[in-house]
Amino acid sequence: MTSESYRFTPDPDRVREEMLKPYPAKTRKKREKQIVLNDPDSPPAIGANARTIPGIITQRGCTYAGCRGVVIGPIYDIVHITHGPVGCGYYSWLTRRNLARPAPGQTNFMQYCMSTDMQEDEIIFGGEKKLAAAVREAYALFQPKAISIYATCPIGLIGDDIHAVARQASEELGINVFAFSCEGYKGVSQSAGHHIANNGVFKHIVGRDDTPADGRFRVNILGEYNIGGDAFEIEELFARCGITLTATLSGNVSYDQIARCHTADLNAVMCHRSINYMAEMMETKYGIPWIKVNFIGAGSTAKSLRKIAQYFGDKALSDRVEMVIAQEMQKLKATVDEVKPRCEGRLAALFVGGSRAHHYQDLFQELGMRVVGAGYEFAHRDDYEGRAVLPTIKVDADSRNIEELEVEPDPVRFKARRSPEQLEALKAGGFTFSDYEGMMRQMDKQALVIDDISHHEMDKLIELYRPDVVCCGIKEKYVVEKMGVPCKQLHSYDYGGPYAVFTGAANFYREIDRMVNTRVWKMILPPWQKHPELGARPVFSPKPRKTRETAAAAADGKGRPARSRSARLEAIEPTGEPTC
Amino acid sequence: MLNSTTSHHTERQALRVNPAKTCQPIGAMYAALGIHNCLPHSHGSQGCCAYHRSHLTRHFKEPVMATTSSFTEGASVFGGLANMTQALTNIFSIYQPDVVAVHTTCLSEVIGDDLPMMFKKFREDGKLPPGKHLIHANTPSFQGSHITGFANMTTAMVRYLCEKSGEVCDRFNLLPGYLDPADMREVKRLAAGIGARFVMFPDTSDVLDGPQTGRFQMYPQGGATVEEIRSAGDGFATLALGFWASEPAAKELEHKCEVPYELVELPIGLGATDAFVDAVRRLAATEVPGEIERERGQLIDLMSDMSQYLHEKRVAVFGDPDHVIPLVRFLVELGMRPVHVVTGTPGKAFETNVRQLLGPAGAAAKVRAGEDLLSLHQWIKAEPVDLLIGNTYGKYIARAEDNLPFVRFGFPILDRVAHRLFPTVGYRGAMRLVAGITDALLDKKDRECPEEFFELVQ
Ligand code: SF4
Ligand code: SF4
């Protein structure tokens, strides 16, 4: 046991009170609901997916960011046109680190930012003409398979009919052109944008190509965006296990892959928040069941692989999966053994996104670290408390804004993937479909769970807990680090990664080891601040003169080592007593 | 890399591809951070604010604090008064700034929110704590660029805060333009070195280049204080750096407080720095000290030493207009040949200015304002260059063009750190530029030349 393995932590009730203290009454009332103390056995109700309070420094972004930035942006071989003034498109250009490896000769259109760059006249007189012209110009330049159009806030207000423009362009150009009404103000966070994106991808891309992928065990990964190459790692792991990946929505993915993803036999959901809609709709329309998986953390990866193998009920697949798990765990062991003693007992806090604040807790647990607080930026109650609470969530006006597609079984393509008997057997064996148990069940009792954490709350959390590492996003990164605490960005991975599956776990362990043990945090105070006392000045004391013999002895290396002046100065202990 | 880009350039009417500009509010937010104890506030949906904070953070690697009115659909229909009032109430009780500097977004612009009316109501309802200030700038992104936003917020500082007491003081005002903190610091160092007395705003040095102390400060020690900005109304003159970013505020100050102004380019390169130093000398009625002349001499020395590697090299440049104009001047001074010169910010004056600098020798050059990086890349493909200078986005072009030597310059720089600490303005900054350019050219040669031509000494 290291001295770090027991750490005093403050009374979480007091921390909560400190967080709420400066808030005006109305603000306090809202925030109270979004800051709760955890009980893993019976998760308390948390306020989530509520409006951000104006004037509070929030982590959140907008609907457009969730739609164009998160869910659809990573489809690399379609052209994405942002309809609006230049900024929205500009900031969503290459900032999300969705890596892609297009086939040779194919273009990665993510390297291009396309916008209608609306000017005042067009705002006044309407931008449909300009949008139509922009789509034509984009086609002339790039001849893509499909073009996707995104509305930004002002577009909704001036009432451009982007869907009509898309329909006309489809007819004119003979390619698939579709549009998303994902104006930033549509929802309370990025989350609304995910939903809008799911609807659009489902309506406009999924199901357009019935050619199944080769392979017996066909799976889609939903909600994996290939930040830092995570999807590459998952692809490779699947290949080794003999699992066929039909499509990843939407990391390292092409339009064609999504067009035929309905031919898979299982949907494995990584980020429940951003893509559960798609999983549900595909199940209804095509009969593909979904399960929740997590490829962050070695334990979770093993569990997820086993679950997929169990679903297919094939002995050879299960054996191969077990073999791969055993090999990988063996490889990982050396890293864990080396790193864990240096990290054990340290404290972490995670406030980010809609799934990572949960998924990454696995990795910290594997390092023996304690999560003292966590929360999402834009998740809903089910992501905290588990899907069991879904029937009790009140649909508010903001959520009602977002279209719920009426989905029915496809008369031709619907196919139950498992027989009723198979399903019964699986369920009897403890297998759960369509379920996510949420973050809170995994967290300690009394840990702080904070939804849409504000700057002030984060500040208090760090001041009172002094965690060894905090995970959040770019806007918080340097705020946290200025407090002398390392911060790991979990949106962009600080330009590192991958962190998925076993190989990624090793990367993350090393990264956390680096962060919590790096020397730099101990160098913040200069020595004179640590010991401000004035030391004694050096005093001249006559020394016996060097004779030839002593000099020669020193040169032989036998004599007393010559001490430099600075070495002598260092040797003087500060006494605080001036000598003159 | 960018492999759908061909050498065939077509004029586009509607589609912007790989912009060389961004939107107004980010510039306004940046300018507002140059006021001491000021919290920038974005009036609109929260996405814009998140984007602006994120991008500024990526450039500065520093905390960028700002709040938003977080509009949802209701505010978009009924206007943002309720959101603004709630936001200001929260801001003053939680974050306690001296100044809240509000800028609009496209959304609140289209709605037509009347910010002065909202401020008035907030004040009349007794909600504004004593001694606190509200200022605002309209920053619609369907006009201009981030530079316009910076200029608008600087102008708002004048409009709201500058006052003329009637007593002209022995100080002039310095409007630095859209410079990095390290550059602002260098501008101050030069002016102070010449012995000038001046007030500079906005001033982001010591705000966005802070030290690691283990303590987070919501409002770092830097920034022009309200008192300093107010006193600009009593300055005897204004020295404005950069036509796009600084002249509007200088004009406003002249109009409001009768302070005459002089306009010079950003002090980038030799000639522009000379003009700046000379202007400061005249305003301060003093002499340029030997120390600064020495720096100048060192720059000239470096220019002559390195001339052989630079002479007649073809350069493509893109960036913000106030930056690109003096940079082109400097490239010409170095004997280089700028052949493609692009800014994303609109403004005919840019083209006229750059053409003048290029002279008859540069008649064939492509010079364009309101242009984007796709066009620039197409031109480079059609008429290749030896060097590319611009912000981080240029690295994609550089890589696509067989690792074209590339020098990062301007805003934003998202993938390197030097700009955070080392200036590119003044004579010292010019020396850094020369070093950067020669390094880029020689690094390419060292990596790629046949072994027999690989040299120890250059
Ligand atoms: S809406 Fe306007 S202000 Fe907001 S990011 Fe887009 S361009 Fe910028
Ligand atoms: S304008 Fe709207 S869509 Fe664009 S960034 Fe701002 S909030 Fe998002």
Side-chain angles (χ1 to χ4, degrees):
Chain A
M1 261 224 189
T2 64
S3 58
E4 295 273 8
S5 51
Y6 175 77
R7 277 275 293 272
F8 170 79
T9 47
D11 170 14
D13 268 311
R14 199 192 119 222
V15 177
R16 183 172 179 271
E17 190 43 44
E18 286 287 325
M19 288 176 173
L20 294 168
K21 213 190 257 167
Y23 291 148
K26 207 170 139 194
T27 303
R28 183 185 168 107
K29 219 173 126 215
K30 287 188 183 164
R31 291 304 302 155
E32 270 172 353
K33 299 193 187 109
Q34 287 169 276
I35 307 177
V36 301
L37 303 189
N38 190 42
D39 179 355
D41 302 322
S42 131
I46 186 167
N49 194 31
R51 285 186 189 173
T52 318
I53 304 165
I56 293 286
I57 298 180
T58 171
Q59 301 184 316
R60 284 175 167 179
C62 67
T63 307
Y64 165 84
C67 177
R68 189 260 182 263
V70 175
V71 178
I72 317 181
I75 307 174
Y76 58 75
D77 60 348
I78 66 177
V79 155
H80 304 273
I81 301 179
T82 299
H83 185 36
V86 73
C88 320
Y90 182 88
Y91 304 112
S92 49
W93 176 23
L94 293 168
T95 44
R96 280 234 348 129
R97 297 196 75 226
N98 314 105
L99 310 190
R101 276 185 197 134
Q106 267 190 330
T107 295
N108 176 0
F109 286 117
M110 285 191 278
Q111 291 162 355
Y112 294 89
C113 160
M114 299 190 213
S115 158
T116 50
D117 190 4
M118 292 277 277
Q119 297 300 302
E120 186 154 30
D121 276 1
E122 294 133 12
I123 292 284
I124 296 171
F125 300 111
E128 289 173 18
K129 270 209 197 104
K130 189 172 199 186
L131 176 61
V135 172
R136 253 177 250 126
E137 289 177 354
Y139 185 74
L141 278 166
F142 301 112
Q143 294 91 44
K145 292 185 179 125
I147 295 177
S148 180
I149 298 165
Y150 311 93
T152 65
C153 289
I155 299 307
L157 242 60
I158 63 175
D160 278 1
D161 187 346
I162 57 171
H163 303 281
V165 173
R167 269 194 306 276
Q168 271 163 21
S170 278
E171 280 167 29
E172 185 186 318
L173 304 172
I175 60 162
N176 193 1
V177 184
F178 41 90
F180 295 86
S181 291
C182 54
E183 290 87 348
Y185 60 74
K186 279 267 164 81
V188 301
S189 69
Q190 291 95 312
S191 173
H194 304 148
H195 195 167
I196 293 169
N198 278 228
N199 289 349
V201 171
F202 186 74
K203 262 199 298 207
H204 298 293
I205 315 182
V206 176
R208 294 174 76 96
D209 176 3
D210 291 328
T211 328
D214 294 335
R216 276 177 64 203
F217 311 113
R218 294 185 295 251
V219 179
N220 296 317
I221 304 274
L222 305 189
E224 163 51 55
Y225 303 104
N226 201 22
I227 307 298
D230 279 353
F232 295 153
E233 299 300 304
I234 299 174
E235 282 167 31
E236 203 190 297
L237 184 68
F238 272 27
R240 283 179 58 201
C241 293
I243 301 166
T244 302
L245 185 65
T246 304
T248 300
L249 268 70
S250 31
N252 188 34
V253 74
S254 68
Y255 174 81
D256 291 343
Q257 279 177 300
I258 296 184
R260 57 174 183 259
C261 73
H262 62 293
T263 61
D265 291 323
L266 177 68
N267 277 331
V269 172
M270 274 286 282
C271 173
H272 171 262
R273 180 67 267 133
S274 61
I275 210 144
N276 70 85
Y277 321 93
M278 178 66 78
E280 293 276 302
M281 292 188 290
M282 284 178 76
E283 174 151 25
T284 312
K285 186 163 179 184
Y286 302 107
I288 309 173
W290 72 268
I291 56 170
K292 175 76 180 68
V293 293
N294 176 18
F295 290 107
I296 302 296
S300 287
T301 303
K303 209 165 124 195
S304 299
L305 285 177
R306 288 189 177 119
K307 203 167 171 186
I308 293 171
Q310 194 187 352
Y311 168 79
F312 286 106
D314 181 275
K315 172 87 173 53
L317 175 65
S318 290
D319 289 349
R320 200 153 151 194
V321 160
E322 288 306 329
M323 189 190 75
V324 170
I325 293 174
Q327 283 172 350
E328 291 297 319
M329 284 299 206
Q330 179 57 32
K331 268 195 258 169
L332 205 53
K333 192 170 174 304
T335 313
V336 178
D337 288 348
E338 184 201 328
V339 167
K340 193 171 172 184
R342 290 196 292 261
C343 299
E344 219 164 11
R346 303 289 190 96
L347 308 184
L350 303 87
F351 294 95
V352 69
S355 62
R356 293 201 169 140
H358 178 196
H359 289 166
Y360 276 77
Q361 294 194 21
D362 290 27
L363 285 164
F364 285 113
Q365 276 165 6
E366 285 165 8
L367 287 175
M369 292 176 67
R370 210 172 113 205
V371 173
V372 293
Y376 299 117
E377 180 181 339
F378 45 69
H380 300 196
R381 275 182 63 197
D382 36 324
D383 304 295
Y384 290 102
E385 303 166 52
R387 280 177 73 93
V389 297
L390 274 176
T392 67
I393 296 179
K394 275 196 248 97
V395 182
D396 58 15
D398 295 304
S399 303
R400 219 170 290 127
N401 252 337
I402 315 297
E403 187 188 13
E404 282 286 350
L405 293 186
E406 291 287 336
V407 182
E408 303 215 323
D410 188 293
V412 184
R413 297 187 184 85
F414 183 91
K415 188 180 96 209
R417 297 321 208 252
R418 288 283 164 269
S419 69
E421 299 80 53
Q422 282 173 316
L423 288 180
E424 270 322 303
L426 279 169
K427 281 181 194 158
F431 198 94
T432 50
F433 286 103
S434 316
D435 191 33
Y436 173 40
E437 64 167 22
M439 165 199 281
M440 284 167 154
R441 297 223 176 246
Q442 192 180 342
M443 289 178 65
D444 287 353
K445 203 173 166 75
Q446 293 287 91
L448 273 168
V449 184
I450 306 174
D451 181 61
D452 181 21
I453 195 169
S454 76
H455 160 73
H456 165 73
E457 290 152 10
M458 178 87 86
D459 193 276
K460 282 289 152 202
L461 182 127
I462 292 175
E463 179 192 320
L464 298 169
Y465 279 95
R466 295 304 298 176
D468 297 280
V469 62
V470 173
C471 298
C472 39
I474 180 73
K475 301 190 292 301
E476 300 80 40
K477 164 107 185 163
Y478 300 101
V479 177
V480 173
E481 298 210 330
K482 282 280 192 250
M483 298 181 200
V485 174
C487 173
K488 181 71 194 164
Q489 291 186 65
L490 282 190
H491 285 296
S492 72
Y493 293 173
D494 288 315
Y495 328 105
Y499 297 136
V501 310
F502 306 101
T503 35
N507 291 341
F508 196 77
Y509 300 153
R510 295 218 173 270
E511 172 69 349
I512 294 305
D513 178 34
R514 175 189 73 77
M515 295 186 88
V516 303
N517 293 310
T518 180
R519 291 187 183 88
V520 69
W521 305 108
K522 301 193 180 81
M523 300 173 190
I524 293 173
L525 281 190
W528 52 90
Q529 279 188 25
K530 289 186 209 158
H531 303 287
E533 318 80 13
L534 290 178
R537 288 187 181 169
V539 180
F540 175 74
S541 55
K543 297 214 170 54
R545 277 198 131 166
K546 244 186 224 163
T547 62
R548 254 192 212 148
E549 292 76 59
T550 54
D556 279 356
K558 288 181 208 133
R560 213 160 38 104
R563 287 164 89 201
S564 69
R565 183 178 142 77
S566 62
R568 263 184 285 131
L569 278 177
E570 267 169 32
I572 298 170
E573 281 296 310
T575 60
E577 295 269 341
T579 49
C580 53
Chain B
M1 189 61 49
L2 296 173
N3 53 15
S4 282
T5 304
T6 67
S7 60
H8 178 63
H9 179 256
T10 46
E11 295 293 338
R12 280 166 276 126
Q13 309 303 322
L15 186 69
R16 177 68 65 217
V17 187
N18 297 355
K21 64 167 180 185
T22 183
C23 65
Q24 284 210 38
I26 196 171
M29 188 181 279
Y30 178 51
L33 289 166
I35 305 176
H36 184 63
N37 273 357
C38 172
L39 190 62
H41 179 82
S42 165
H43 187 56
S45 291
Q46 70 208 12
C48 311
C49 182
Y51 274 146
H52 305 144
R53 288 183 61 207
S54 299
H55 228 55
L56 289 173
T57 305
R58 292 181 186 116
H59 176 80
F60 295 110
K61 316 279 189 247
E62 286 286 313
V64 174
M65 309 311 284
T67 45
T68 157
S69 293
S70 292
F71 280 25
T72 50
E73 190 126 22
S76 309
V77 176
F78 302 114
L81 174 65
N83 291 54
M84 175 65 96
T85 311
Q86 201 189 348
L88 290 176
T89 308
N90 278 322
I91 288 167
F92 283 116
S93 62
I94 306 166
Y95 308 116
Q96 301 165 0
D98 287 348
V99 186
V100 179
V102 183
H103 60 261
T104 55
T105 68
C106 299
L107 178 58
S108 51
E109 280 295 326
V110 173
I111 298 168
D113 269 356
D114 181 350
L115 296 185
M117 185 279 290
M118 292 180 184
F119 288 177
K120 189 160 165 258
K121 184 154 186 331
F122 192 75
R123 204 172 284 119
E124 284 173 2
D125 290 349
K127 290 180 175 153
L128 184 68
K132 306 285 179 172
H133 303 267
L134 299 173
I135 72 172
H136 100 280
N138 287 94
T139 48
S141 304
F142 36 82
Q143 290 167 355
S145 73
H146 56 297
I147 299 297
T148 323
F150 184 95
N152 287 344
M153 184 50 84
T154 311
T155 310
M157 294 173 199
V158 175
R159 196 170 291 145
Y160 277 94
L161 301 175
C162 291
E163 275 170 27
K164 189 178 179 64
S165 68
E167 230 173 275
V168 175
C169 66
D170 185 27
R171 267 199 320 224
F172 67 90
N173 309 312
L174 195 48
L175 301 176
Y178 201 117
L179 289 178
D180 274 337
D183 290 325
M184 296 210 183
R185 190 186 300 287
E186 182 67 359
V187 162
K188 286 195 293 187
R189 185 188 71 88
L190 282 172
I194 298 166
R197 296 189 61 220
F198 60 94
V199 162
M200 185 170 100
F201 67 94
D203 180 1
T204 58
S205 60
D206 289 321
V207 178
L208 288 161
D209 58 354
Q212 172 61 274
T213 59
R215 268 186 326 123
F216 166 74
Q217 280 179 295
M218 181 95 187
Y219 308 106
Q221 69 177 51
T225 62
V226 169
E227 208 30 65
E228 282 168 335
I229 301 175
R230 178 179 296 143
S231 75
D234 291 331
F236 66 83
T238 300
L239 183 59
L241 312 189
F243 172 80
W244 274 262
S246 296
E247 193 178 37
K251 267 198 176 136
E252 180 68 23
L253 196 49
E254 184 175 63
H255 174 76
K256 182 176 174 186
C257 303
E258 294 166 355
V259 182
Y261 74 91
E262 190 172 326
L263 181 69
V264 292
E265 288 171 9
L266 289 182
I268 293 165
L270 177 70
T273 303
D274 281 349
F276 167 73
V277 167
D278 201 38
V280 172
R281 173 193 67 89
R282 278 186 285 103
L283 289 171
T286 166
E287 281 177 11
V288 177
E291 196 48 44
I292 291 175
E293 280 183 355
R294 212 182 112 78
E295 286 173 18
R296 184 180 189 279
Q298 285 178 313
L299 171 61
I300 306 274
D301 195 42
L302 189 64
M303 286 166 71
S304 72
D305 289 347
M306 289 296 134
S307 165
Q308 60 167 323
Y309 303 114
L310 307 174
H311 185 68
E312 284 292 302
K313 287 280 185 298
R314 296 164 55 84
V315 193
V317 189
F318 70 94
D320 299 326
D322 289 336
H323 286 72
V324 170
I325 291 169
L327 182 65
V328 166
R329 181 188 294 283
F330 188 42
L331 294 172
V332 172
E333 287 164 352
L334 287 167
M336 305 184 84
R337 286 218 296 143
V339 289
H340 310 305
V341 184
V342 159
T343 185
T345 302
K348 275 282 157 223
F350 176 80
E351 295 176 18
T352 333
N353 251 304
V354 172
R355 288 244 172 259
Q356 240 167 31
L357 292 170
L358 296 180
K366 301 267 187 315
V367 181
R368 202 65 92 73
E371 195 44 271
D372 60 31
L373 300 187
L374 176 63
S375 289
L376 178 68
H377 193 182
Q378 289 169 329
W379 290 330
I380 291 174
K381 276 191 179 297
E383 295 173 65
V385 293
D386 303 300
L387 175 72
L388 174 66
I389 306 183
N391 66 29
T392 288
Y393 293 94
K395 77 194 251 181
Y396 287 80
I397 299 179
R399 182 165 160 138
E401 295 312 308
D402 192 22
N403 290 325
L404 182 61
F406 172 48
V407 174
R408 286 165 181 79
F409 174 80
F411 175 87
I413 293 174
L414 308 170
D415 62 338
R416 294 292 187 274
V417 291
H419 67 281
R420 290 164 56 190
L421 298 165
F422 308 111
T424 47
V425 299
Y427 301 118
R428 285 189 180 172
M431 288 185 245
R432 199 185 131 220
L433 279 174
V434 175
I437 292 171
T438 43
D439 282 358
L441 294 169
L442 293 173
D443 281 348
K444 168 123 177 142
K445 181 191 166 242
D446 280 351
R447 270 197 305 268
E448 297 177 4
C449 71
E451 198 170 310
E452 60 275 27
F453 295 113
F454 190 71
E455 302 269 357
L456 177 68
V457 183
Q458 303 262 238

